[in-house]
Amino acid sequence: MAKLPPYTSTGEYIWHYIYRGICGLIFLFLILPILIVLPLSFNVEPYFSFTSGMLNFDPKAFSLRWYEDIFRNGMASPDTPFGWSWLSDTWNNGQWIRAIRNSFFIGVCATLLSTALGTLAAIGLSRSEMPYRRLIMSILISPMIVPLVITAAGMFFFYSKIHLSQTYLGVIMAHAVLGTPFVIITVTATLVGFDKSLVRASQSLGAGALTTFRKVQMPLIIPGVISGGLFAFITSFDEVVAVLFLASPEQRTIPRQMWSGIREQISPTILAVATLLVILSIILLTVLELLRRRSERLRGITNS
Amino acid sequence: MTDSQTVTSGAITAADGTPLKKKLAQALFRSRVRAVSLVVPLFAFVMASFVIPIFALMWQGVYNDRFSTYTPNLTEQLTAWDGLAEPGEALFAALVSDLKTARKDRTIGRIATRVNQEYPGTRSLFTSTARKAKKLRAPFKESVIKTNKKWANIEIWRAMKLTSQDLTPSFYATALDGRYTVDKGFVAQNENRQIYVKLFWRTLLISASVMGLCLLLGYPVAYLLATLPLRTSNLLMIMVLLPFWTSLLVRTTAWIAILQSQGVINDLMVAVGITADDSRFSLIYNMTGTIIAMTHILLPFMILPLYSVMKTIPPSYMRAARSLGATPTAAFIRVYAPQTIPGIGAGGLLVFILAIGYYITPALVGGQDGQLISNMIAYHMQKSLNWSLAAALGGILLAGVLLLYWIYDRVIGIDNMKLG
C-alpha cells in the first residue's frame, strides 16, 4: 500500500480510509456474487439459499449430489452401478454431458475459424497501405456491437434459407463471427508495438514472406493471438442467444441448458455447473495473465 | 534543389531499366494488394454470415408478401381499387374465389393472421367466411355481407388493400405506436394500445441508469487501481477480470440466488431484523433486479477503459496542483477529473451500447417491468411469430445502436478499444 505523504491533514487521513472502504465494498459487489455460488452448489437441499445446517457447518448439510446430477440427468438407467455401461450411458444420454460436449466442440471449431481469419485480417489492417482501413475495421468489429437479438434473428432467417439453421455448421459460423472482433482487437493491440524494421531486416537477410511471418512476426504476436483466441472461445462458450434461435435440441450447449434450467426447473445442478464454469474462467484468466507477462518480457517492458 | 530533381527524375532507373517512379508505384500496389488479400477472407466471411443476414432481417421489416402470394385475384382487384369508393362487386367476387382456394390449400390461416396484424380482431371473420365460401353465389357483394355484416365495413377493405402491398411502411408505423392508413397516411394508435414507444423509452432509461451506476461504482475503483503500485493493482485487477471472464448465465444465476425472496439478502435482512419474514423485499423479477444484475455484468466494461486512461495521467500533476495551493478536492476536480473524460466517454458509451441491446439478463430476472426492447423483439420472433414487426422494432434499435457506434468511432476510435 502506498504511504501517505507527510503533509496529509487529518481530514485527508479519514477520507483516505473511507475511500478505501468504499472501494472494498465495490470489489465485494464485483466478486461476491461469483463466490456465493460455490458453497451453495454443495447444498443438500434443492434450494438456492443457505440452510441453517450449512451456516453451522454441519457436514450433513453438504453433499455432492448436484455434481452427480450433472452426470445422471437424462441417463437411460441412472441406477446402474458405476462401470463401463454407466459411463457410456452418461456419455451418450446425459443431458448436461451432451451440452458440455457440444459447447467444447462448437467452441473449439469457432475459435479456430475466428482466430485464423481474425489474425490474418488484423495483420492486413495494421498495414498503413490498407485502403478504407477505418470503414472495414468498423464493419469487422460490428458483430460485438449489434444487439445479439438482431444478429440472431437475422441469422435465423438467412441460415434457414440456405439450410444452415439447426446444424452444427450454422452455430459454429455464428459463434465464429461473434468471436472475430475480440481477435482483431487483441491482435491489433499487439501489432501496435511491433517494430516494422524487424520485418525489413529479415527480408534483407533473404527470408521470404512466409518465413518472415513464421519466424519473426508470429513469435512476437503469438500472445495476442492466443489471448484473442481465448476471448473468442469464451464468447462462444458463453453465447446463448444465437443458440436459442439457430440450434435444435441436438446442438444444445451449456448456456442453453442453463437457460432452460433457470426458466423451467430451478435446481442446484445449475449452481454445480456454474461452479465448474467459474473454475474454468479462473484457469483461462491465469493463462491470460501468464501470456501478458510473457508478452511484456518479450517487448522489454519490465514489471515494476 | 527542386530543379535538379525534376531534371534527373526521368533518368533514375531501377536495375532492370524501368523508371524508379514506376517501379515504386508497382511495389506500393503490390503491398496494397497483399494487405487487402489478408483482410478479404474475414471480410467475405463477416459479410456472408453476419451483414447479409442482418439485411435479410431488415428487408422483412418493410416487405411482406404473404397476403399477395395467397390471394392473387383479390390483390389484383385491390391494387386497382382507390381505397376511397365503396368496394364493388368485382372485389367481393375476387374475395370469394380466393377464399375458396385458400380454404382448399389450407392457407387461409396465414391470410387471416396477416390481415389480423393490420386490423386486429378480423381473424375469425376470414376463417368463418372461408368455410362458407363454397356455397356463396352471385351477386357476391350481397351474399358475403349476408354471412357477416362486418364485410360492409370499408375499414376492413382498406386494411386488406394495405396488406396486399408487398412493400409496406405499416410495420414501422406499428413499431412507433402508429397505424398506416389508406386515406389518412400515418395516424397515432389509441392511447391504450401504445406500448412500443414506451418500451423504447424504458430501454433508454434502464440503459442510462446502468451507465450512471457503472460510472459511479467504476470511477473510484479505476482510480484506486491506477494509483496503487503495479503489484497490488494487478492483484486487485483479478477481482475486476474474474467477473468479466465468468459466464453471463453464471452471474445471472448468482443474482437470482442472492436477490430472490428466499435468497441470501432477504434471509440476512430477516435474520438481522430489518424486515419481517412475511414482508420480504422483492428485489428480483422487476426493474430493480434488471438494473442490479446488468450493472454488475457491465461494470468491468466501464472500469477497464477508465483504468487505461487514468494509467496515462502522471501523478505529478496532482502534486503540482497541491504545491500551488489547491485543496485536494480542487486539485482533483480541476486537474485530474478533466483528464479522465476520454475514459468516461469510452466506458460510458460502451456500457450504454451494450446495455441497450441486452436480452438474456432482463429475460431471466426482469419479470414484467424489467423487460427491454430486445425481449419484445424475441417475443415477436418466437411467440407471436409476427416476424415483420420484430424486424421493424429491430431496425429502429439497430439504427440507434449504429448511431452510437458511429459517435464512439468518431470520438474515441475503435482502434483504441481495449480488453483486459
Side-chain angles (χ1 to χ4, degrees), chain B residues 67 73-75 77-79 81-96 99 115 118-119 122 125-126 129 140-141 144-145 148-164 182:
Chain B
F67 187 81
N73 302 319
L74 188 56
T75 300
Q77 291 297 325
L78 283 168
T79 318
W81 180 49
D82 64 354
L84 301 172
E86 280 292 319
E89 177 65 17
L91 276 170
F92 280 95
L95 173 76
V96 172
L99 284 183
V115 180
E118 197 68 46
Y119 195 95
T122 52
L125 176 66
F126 277 82
T129 312
F140 289 112
K141 184 167 180 174
V144 169
I145 293 175
N148 197 323
K149 262 189 273 170
K150 280 188 193 164
W151 286 112
N153 183 357
I154 191 168
E155 287 304 326
I156 287 177
W157 289 91
R158 283 175 176 159
M160 277 175 11
K161 184 175 169 60
L162 283 177
T163 43
S164 72
V182 174

Side-chain angles (χ1 to χ4, degrees), chain A residues 1 7 12 19-20 23 26-27 29-31 33-34 36-37 40 48-50 113 117-118 120-121 123-125 127 129-131 133-134 136-147 149-151 153-159 173 176-177 180 182 184-185 230-231 234 238 240-241 244-245 255 258-259 262-263 270-271 274 277-278 281-282 284-285 288 292 303-304, chain B residues 31-32 34-36 38-39 41-43 45-46 48-54 57 60 217 220-221 223-225 228 230 232 234 236 238-251 253-258 260 262 264 267 292 296 299 303 319 322 328 353-354 357 359-360 363-364 374 377-378 381-382 387 394 397-398 401 405 409-410 413-415 417 419:
Chain A
M1 292 276 154
Y7 53 80
E12 282 176 68
Y19 171 70
R20 288 276 160 100
C23 284
I26 299 172
F27 278 122
F29 171 73
L30 271 168
I31 207 81
I34 292 168
I36 217 155
V37 296
L40 279 179
F48 262 36
S49 53
F50 289 99
L113 192 59
L117 293 175
L120 284 184
I123 292 172
L125 282 170
R127 300 212 170 149
E129 311 92 72
M130 183 69 205
R133 206 177 149 271
R134 211 175 166 132
I136 290 175
M137 183 102 169
S138 57
I139 291 174
L140 295 183
I141 300 286
S142 60
M144 193 175 120
I145 296 297
V146 172
V149 167
I150 296 178
T151 313
M155 284 173 170
F156 169 72
F157 284 125
F158 189 68
Y159 287 12
M173 276 173 68
V177 163
T180 45
F182 297 99
I184 293 178
I185 289 173
L230 286 180
F231 266 108
I234 207 80
D238 194 16
V240 59
V241 188
L244 276 174
F245 279 81
M258 288 182 80
W259 165 272
I262 295 171
R263 295 207 118 183
I270 297 170
L271 294 179
L277 288 182
V278 170
S281 55
I282 291 174
L284 286 180
L285 189 60
L288 205 69
R292 197 182 60 79
N303 204 339
S304 65
Chain B
S31 67
R32 201 170 241 227
R34 221 176 291 141
V36 172
L38 285 172
V39 179
L42 179 64
F43 191 74
F45 179 63
V46 170
S49 54
F50 176 76
V51 178
I52 295 175
I54 286 181
L57 177 71
Q60 288 264 340
L217 299 179
V221 167
Y223 181 71
L224 184 78
L225 288 173
L228 281 178
L230 210 55
T232 333
N234 271 347
L236 285 175
I238 293 174
M239 298 234 232
V240 180
L241 289 177
L242 186 61
F244 187 72
W245 279 87
T246 306
S247 164
L248 185 80
L249 278 142
V250 170
R251 287 184 274 168
T253 317
W255 278 111
I256 294 176
I258 293 171
Q260 65 179 340
Q262 301 296 323
V264 177
D267 281 352
I292 294 177
H296 177 252
L299 190 51
I303 295 177
R319 284 205 293 273
R322 293 295 308 276
I353 290 175
L354 293 175
Y359 166 62
I360 299 294
L364 290 177
S374 284
I377 296 174
M381 282 295 298
Q382 296 178 315
W387 291 343
L397 175 64
L398 185 63
V401 169
Y405 182 43
D409 189 26
R410 275 283 117 148
I414 35 174
D415 308 29
M417 202 183 267
L419 301 159

